[in-house]
Amino acid sequence: MKQFFSPQSLRYQAPVLVCIAAILILLLLPTGFEGALVYQEAERCTARVLEVDNSTIIDTGLVRSGEQRCRLELLDGAFRGQTVTGINMLNGSLEQDKIFAPGDKAQVVVSHDGDTITNVTMTDHYRLGWEALLAAGYVLLLILFAGRTGVRAIASFAMTVLALWKVLVPLYLKGWNPIWVGLGITLFLTVMVISLVYGFDRRCCAAVSGSFLGILVTCVLGILFTDLFQIHGAVMSYSESLLYSGYSHLSLTQIYMASVFIGAAGAMMDLSVDITSGVYEVVCKRPDISPREAIRSGMRIGQAAMGTMTTTLLLAYSGGYLSLLMVFMAQGTPVLHILNYKYVSSEIIHTLVGSFGLVTVAPFTAVMSGLVLTWVRRPQKAETADCAADAAGEGTPLPQGGE
């Protein structure tokens, strides 16, 4: 118990308490859009498909249009147990249309007038059960492999999801400046995620400083090149739907600019933690090392990491556009024309500006960790004790058997 309340242990455990408090606050925080229901006189529930009628479906090559009628058993909600007929509208889009078969579980919208069902619309296949199973498997594997560190990673993941859904998205919908809101949320998440790794200590300060400086560079370059490339924010998928849903006051272009540095922030945190941890190990082995030597060591660590990190964003973004690249190649579109298309140029901004930020994170973090970890000198015995405590698991925990 005495060891738990030691200064170093408190610095390491404090972020967990802050993270739990933040998660609880975010869970209770209203978004302000709870009443903005599209279906006011309807109930959303699940249903089992008993029979299907495809007689009114019109096949034109690969495209299917018309409607599919399904006999359904409602599985939950006020009308649970009732057997009804549901309509699955087909719009001739392979991307959006779905076809049901007997035995499928579907998500449906039941329109009603009091206790009388007036219409049942089938919206999609029900996937939440498999999604929950996949998430549970990931959580279990993470905890088995990483122990306490895995629990912290899960907490940071939950906090990030809640911060984006409960704060970032509602503020964007309310018309707040996307750049400043994005920077504020990103800084908060950077501090919390890195502090869950290190605790509130000098390493956290160094890693957060280097990471956020890189994010600022990405922000500035994203704004600059979005204007130079003449990219409109409507290039983002489904963004135009916002304008036609009563949100014409939103600046889609600024939201796109914010998406550039938000999308790259996670990779920057990863790199800054790698470099800071490397410099910290050097300082632990050489407590008398000068700031210049520590910075030089950080630079060398960053140079090695750059070999893989520069392709991280390229693979992350290009993976979602393989079909588009295949279309270009199948049509024989010249490469120079491909690169000049607006939606391709927008991804180039995401990839190159984000990678530019990654490259700058390395020297920023090397300088900050070299200065922060060596300038504020502690007695050598205290420094050695801190390093020993970290290696033993009181600071950054190491996976141990049985955890």
Side-chain angles (χ1 to χ4, degrees):
M1 182 65 67
K2 184 176 180 180
Q3 184 181 10
F4 180 83
F5 288 103
S6 66
Q8 177 158 356
S9 180
L10 287 176
R11 286 198 304 269
Y12 182 62
Q13 302 298 340
V16 179
L17 301 178
V18 175
C19 181
I20 293 174
I23 290 175
L24 293 177
I25 292 172
L26 289 171
L27 283 172
L28 299 174
L29 182 69
T31 63
F33 294 89
E34 286 80 7
L37 299 177
V38 176
Y39 307 101
Q40 294 289 349
E41 297 297 328
E43 181 173 347
R44 280 162 285 190
C45 60
T46 57
R48 180 77 62 190
V49 179
L50 304 177
E51 300 175 8
V52 296
D53 178 8
N54 298 333
S55 61
T56 57
I57 294 179
I58 302 173
D59 291 314
T60 308
L62 295 175
V63 177
R64 312 189 81 180
S65 57
E67 63 181 34
Q68 181 187 39
R69 293 182 174 272
C70 301
R71 196 69 177 162
L72 306 172
E73 177 190 358
L74 301 180
L75 300 178
D76 51 45
F79 303 97
R80 179 180 180 180
Q82 295 192 28
T83 302
V84 296
T85 299
I87 306 298
N88 173 31
M89 298 300 299
L90 302 177
N91 301 313
S93 170
L94 292 175
E95 179 185 2
Q96 299 179 1
D97 289 343
K98 55 275 175 188
I99 296 293
F100 294 94
D104 287 349
K105 194 174 182 181
Q107 189 85 40
V108 301
V109 176
V110 180
S111 301
H112 57 90
D113 184 7
D115 294 333
T116 303
I117 297 176
T118 57
N119 184 53
V120 178
T121 302
M122 306 178 68
T123 57
D124 213 330
H125 289 88
Y126 184 79
R127 304 181 179 91
L128 296 184
W130 290 112
E131 290 176 2
L133 179 63
L134 182 63
Y138 168 71
V139 169
L140 179 62
L141 180 62
L142 191 59
I143 293 176
L144 289 176
F145 180 75
R148 290 175 296 178
T149 305
V151 176
R152 288 171 175 254
I154 294 167
S156 68
F157 183 88
M159 182 182 59
T160 301
V161 171
L162 288 172
L164 295 178
W165 182 248
K166 288 296 193 83
V167 181
L168 184 76
V169 174
L171 292 183
Y172 277 6
L173 286 173
K174 292 175 182 177
W176 288 46
N177 186 288
I179 305 297
W180 292 112
V181 171
L183 285 173
I185 296 296
T186 304
L187 177 59
F188 167 74
L189 292 176
T190 301
V191 172
M192 289 307 305
V193 171
I194 294 179
S195 66
L196 284 169
V197 175
Y198 291 134
F200 291 128
D201 65 4
R202 293 178 296 164
R203 292 171 297 171
C204 177
C205 178
V208 169
S209 300
S211 180
F212 200 67
L213 286 172
I215 291 172
L216 288 177
V217 170
T218 307
C219 175
V220 172
L221 291 178
I223 294 172
L224 175 63
F225 282 97
T226 298
D227 286 337
L228 292 177
F229 282 23
Q230 298 182 359
I231 301 296
H232 192 279
V235 73
M236 297 181 293
S237 300
Y238 301 106
S239 58
E240 276 189 272
S241 300
L242 282 171
L243 303 182
Y244 305 136
S245 303
Y247 293 93
S248 57
H249 62 283
L250 297 182
S251 174
L252 296 182
T253 302
Q254 286 191 332
I255 294 175
Y256 169 80
M257 293 173 179
S259 72
V260 174
F261 63 81
I262 292 174
M268 295 185 193
M269 281 187 256
D270 182 32
L271 182 58
S272 64
V273 167
D274 289 343
I275 295 174
T276 302
S277 296
V279 174
Y280 182 70
E281 289 298 317
V282 172
V283 173
C284 283
K285 296 296 186 294
R286 285 272 313 277
D288 60 335
I289 192 172
S290 68
R292 179 175 294 181
E293 289 178 296
I295 292 172
R296 189 178 296 117
S297 296
M299 291 290 189
R300 284 196 289 268
I301 296 170
Q303 289 169 359
M306 282 297 97
T308 55
M309 292 302 292
T310 51
T311 59
T312 298
L313 294 180
L314 173 62
L315 293 175
Y317 290 125
S318 63
Y321 282 85
L322 288 178
S323 59
L324 180 62
L325 296 176
M326 292 169 67
V327 169
F328 286 143
M329 180 169 288
Q331 294 179 346
T333 307
V335 173
L336 294 181
H337 289 191
I338 294 173
L339 296 177
N340 195 60
Y341 286 136
K342 180 169 66 174
Y343 37 91
V344 175
S345 298
S346 68
E347 292 305 314
I348 289 176
I349 290 177
H350 269 289
T351 303
L352 293 185
V353 170
S355 296
F356 198 105
L358 276 174
V359 173
T360 58
V361 162
F364 284 148
T365 307
V367 171
M368 294 306 301
S369 58
L371 296 178
V372 171
L373 297 178
T374 58
W375 263 8
V376 183
R377 290 293 185 182
R378 303 189 62 198
Q380 185 167 339
K381 289 184 179 180
E383 190 76 51
T384 303
D386 282 351
C387 294
D390 290 329
E394 296 176 17
T396 304
L398 301 176
Q400 299 177 9
E403 291 188 336

